[in-house]
Amino acid sequence: MMSEISEYETPFPHRKGTIFKFHYFTNWVKGDKNVPEHMSWIRNLYNYMTPYVSKFPRGAYVNYRDFDLGINKKGNTSVHQASVWGVKYFKDNFKRLVEVKTKVDPGNFFRHEQSIPPLLKR
């Protein structure tokens, strides 16, 4: 059913051709012990999967936020900086969503670590 709606009609672009969504996750119970080991393990898994996932850009599902893609800086993050994760989450819809954000929330009140920033006024 999802493939019957164009990826440009809604912010969520992942439609036809998307077979799987992978959520890379690791959990450990020893608190902060062995953090480098666990981070290395999950990054190695992520890199191992590279030949099997979308490319140009590598896609990402917005509800599986990946802070390794980048995060908003305190203050104002440029649209160019946010496009690093925004294009992965929203594909070509990112530019349109920036325009909407600029009109609806120019002061960027509604934000989180990887939210879409408004265009900055010059």
Side-chain angles (χ1 to χ4, degrees), residues 50-91:
T50 297
Y52 310 104
V53 299
S54 60
K55 298 168 185 58
F56 311 117
R58 184 171 185 159
Y61 179 53
V62 70
N63 285 349
Y64 300 166
R65 290 192 295 175
D66 182 350
F67 295 150
D68 284 341
L69 299 176
I71 59 171
N72 284 314
K73 297 178 181 177
K74 294 196 188 265
N76 292 322
T77 298
S78 73
V79 170
H80 176 73
Q81 291 165 321
S83 69
V84 171
W85 63 83
V87 171
K88 289 177 173 68
Y89 291 138
F90 302 108
K91 296 185 180 183

Side-chain angles (χ1 to χ4, degrees), residues 9 22 26 46 48 51 57 65 67 69 73 79 85 92-93:
E9 290 183 50
F22 295 101
T26 184
Y46 184 87
Y48 176 83
R65 290 192 295 175
F67 295 150
L69 299 176
K73 297 178 181 177
V79 170
W85 63 83
D92 290 335
N93 293 341

Side-chain angles (χ1 to χ4, degrees), residues 94-106 116 118:
F94 177 71
K95 293 174 190 170
R96 182 170 52 93
L97 293 170
V98 167
E99 292 173 11
V100 171
K101 175 73 173 200
T102 301
K103 289 179 185 174
V104 174
D105 184 18
I116 297 170

